[in-house]
Amino acid sequence: MEELIMTHLQFNLNINDLKESVMNSDIDAVIKASIVLVLNEFMEQERDNHLQADPYERTINRKDYRNGYYERDLLLSIGKITLRVPRTRNGDFSTSVFERYARCDQAFVLAMLEMVVNGVSTRKVKNIVEQLCGETVSKSFVSSLTEKLDPIVNQWANRPLNTMYYPYIFVDAMYIKVRENQRVVSKAVYIATAINSDNQREILGLKVDHTESYEAWGRFFQYLLSRGLQSPKMIISDAHKGLKKVIAEEFLGTTWQRCTVHFKRNLFDQLPKKNMEEVKLSIKRIFEVASVHEARKYKQIFIEQYGGNGKLEKVIGILDEGFEDAIQYLNEETHYHKHIRSTNSLERINEEVRRREKVIRIFPNTQSAFRLIGAVLMDYEEILSKRKLPVRNK
């Protein structure tokens, strides 16, 4: 912006004032002093152009008369400066400097927001603001900065979903700590991602609700449907109680894929602690196939091989009960298999949220949690949008 102004103006600065700043101040003061000199002179020329007359000039084109100055602060990304704003007698003159530099003010705010999104604590942000502005600021000031995220996050979180088809949707919930009625309570954060028809991953939305439940999952899906989401081919998730029922109720014709990573983990947890490496390899082999036929074949081999082992009776029971839900991905095109058999991609997003959330530890309220997590997801989605899944066979 400074370069833009200087490109369009020709004037003489008070070099003595600038020299004094260089000799007696640090580089930050020099930069501020330079900008003050430039902007003050710029406003002077703006007033001259408005009046259509130089100082003390007699001309029939004169529109008004000079009437001194008043001081006004301007907050820039390099800190706060004080300018001498010219006035006219009739008060019709208005400088464009503050409107032009609103972008710089926004840049400053966005820098603060970026710190918040990246997990910098409120206390640290407060200290940085004080260093930039040269004065003490309150926590409420920092909060007012972060609240500027609300309309941005809300617009993203409520954008329409009927402009794109999402054949594969991933859902999961994570837990956070929130202050509510002077108590610290646990809240569930529901997040949905998808692979869209352009073979790109996209974050569909989030919702902060009470503990994970059938009713809460229903509210989350209703929120997605209200934004125009069409029934996908498949929803991938873990086997939370009630979730499968909600999917069947809300998405007619949609297949539920049980996350194979969670399912295998459930099986491994039931194994004896010792000498189970061969058994684990046999379980993994069931899901490392390219067709439903092969998966069923290796499952049957596993049962025949270990069916007589009393220690594995519970494992075989769990495998038999959850097997069909865990191999639904094999009915899809082969090049999608590794992308849709688990919620690993969503787990990585959860880890990114958790990394930022650890700095805060306890959110002051539900809205602040929605704000921060939404901003993190928006930031992460920008990265995802630049990637396309390598799902085509060579």
Side-chain angles (χ1 to χ4, degrees), residues 85-335:
V85 184
R87 292 188 293 202
T88 58
R89 190 174 297 173
N90 293 335
D92 293 336
F93 168 71
S94 177
T95 178
S96 66
V97 162
F98 294 93
E99 181 181 351
R100 288 172 183 250
Y101 269 84
R103 294 181 184 176
C104 290
D105 185 37
Q106 290 174 15
F108 173 80
V109 171
L110 289 172
M112 295 300 101
L113 296 181
E114 187 175 356
M115 293 180 201
V116 175
V117 171
N118 284 321
V120 179
S121 67
T122 301
R123 178 180 57 81
K124 289 181 180 178
V125 172
K126 179 176 177 290
N127 292 338
I128 293 168
V129 173
E130 288 176 1
Q131 289 176 23
L132 287 172
C133 297
E135 60 184 39
T136 302
V137 297
S138 63
K139 284 187 176 181
S140 62
F141 174 76
V142 177
S143 297
S144 69
L145 290 179
T146 61
E147 285 170 7
K148 291 182 182 290
L149 271 174
D150 283 347
I152 301 171
V153 173
N154 287 333
Q155 183 179 15
W156 171 81
N158 293 296
R159 71 194 187 281
L161 297 177
N162 57 1
T163 59
M164 176 77 73
Y165 181 59
Y166 303 95
Y168 305 109
I169 293 177
F170 308 78
V171 295
D172 195 13
M174 59 183 293
Y175 285 89
I176 59 172
K177 298 289 186 182
V178 178
R179 292 191 189 278
E180 193 172 80
N181 299 323
Q182 299 182 341
R183 297 171 57 242
V184 176
V185 299
S186 182
K187 294 268 188 177
V189 179
Y190 296 83
I191 300 175
T193 65
I195 296 175
N196 63 31
S197 54
D198 290 336
N199 292 328
Q200 291 178 313
R201 292 195 185 275
E202 189 175 325
I203 300 173
L204 300 184
L206 79 153
K207 189 176 182 64
V208 182
D209 209 324
H210 301 296
T211 54
E212 192 175 1
S213 65
Y214 163 79
E215 293 77 14
W217 274 116
R219 287 191 291 270
F220 181 57
F221 287 135
Q222 282 293 330
Y223 149 73
L224 296 175
L225 289 167
S226 70
R227 292 165 50 202
L229 181 69
Q230 303 173 56
S231 291
K233 294 174 66 177
M234 179 176 289
I235 293 180
I236 303 96
S237 73
D238 64 14
H240 179 271
K241 185 179 180 181
L243 177 56
K244 184 178 179 181
K245 181 181 177 183
V246 175
I247 292 172
E249 291 174 351
E250 300 292 349
F251 299 99
L252 297 178
T254 294
T255 299
W256 176 56
Q257 165 63 41
R258 182 173 181 172
C259 173
T260 56
V261 172
H262 284 89
F263 186 48
K264 285 185 287 186
R265 194 177 299 155
N266 293 340
L267 294 171
F268 292 164
D269 287 344
Q270 299 301 322
L271 292 174
K273 302 300 181 185
K274 296 181 179 180
N275 303 321
M276 287 291 114
E277 293 307 315
E278 184 179 337
V279 176
K280 288 182 180 180
L281 288 174
S282 297
I283 291 174
K284 290 178 180 179
R285 185 173 60 176
I286 296 172
F287 301 99
E288 293 173 352
V289 294
S291 69
V292 172
H293 173 74
E294 289 178 283
R296 287 174 178 159
K297 181 183 74 173
Y298 285 118
K299 176 206 168 191
Q300 188 58 38
I301 292 173
F302 181 86
I303 292 174
E304 290 174 358
Q305 184 173 359
Y306 299 106
N309 188 334
K311 294 180 179 180
L312 300 181
E313 183 178 349
K314 192 170 183 178
V315 172
I316 291 174
I318 294 173
L319 174 64
D320 198 43
E321 182 182 359
F323 174 74
E324 289 298 326
D325 289 327
I327 64 165
Q328 290 304 304
Y329 71 96
L330 293 171
N331 290 312
E332 302 301 311
E333 296 177 72
T334 305
H335 45 254

Side-chain angles (χ1 to χ4, degrees), residues 62-81:
R62 178 183 289 277
K63 295 175 60 178
D64 199 354
Y65 292 87
R66 291 166 180 79
N67 189 31
Y69 305 86
Y70 68 93
E71 290 189 348
R72 179 174 169 182
D73 291 337
L74 178 62
L75 185 62
L76 304 179
S77 56
I78 53 99
K80 187 170 69 175
I81 60 175

Side-chain angles (χ1 to χ4, degrees), residues 170-176 189-193 203 205-206 217 238 262 343-358 373 376-377 380:
F170 308 78
V171 295
D172 195 13
M174 59 183 293
Y175 285 89
I176 59 172
V189 179
Y190 296 83
I191 300 175
T193 65
I203 300 173
L206 79 153
W217 274 116
D238 64 14
H262 284 89
T343 59
N344 276 0
S345 60
L346 183 49
E347 292 285 346
R348 285 191 289 271
I349 293 174
N350 288 348
E351 289 173 5
E352 189 69 16
V353 172
R354 188 69 73 192
R355 182 174 68 84
R356 319 289 182 86
E357 175 257 348
K358 280 181 180 178
I373 296 172
V376 171
L377 294 179
Y380 197 84

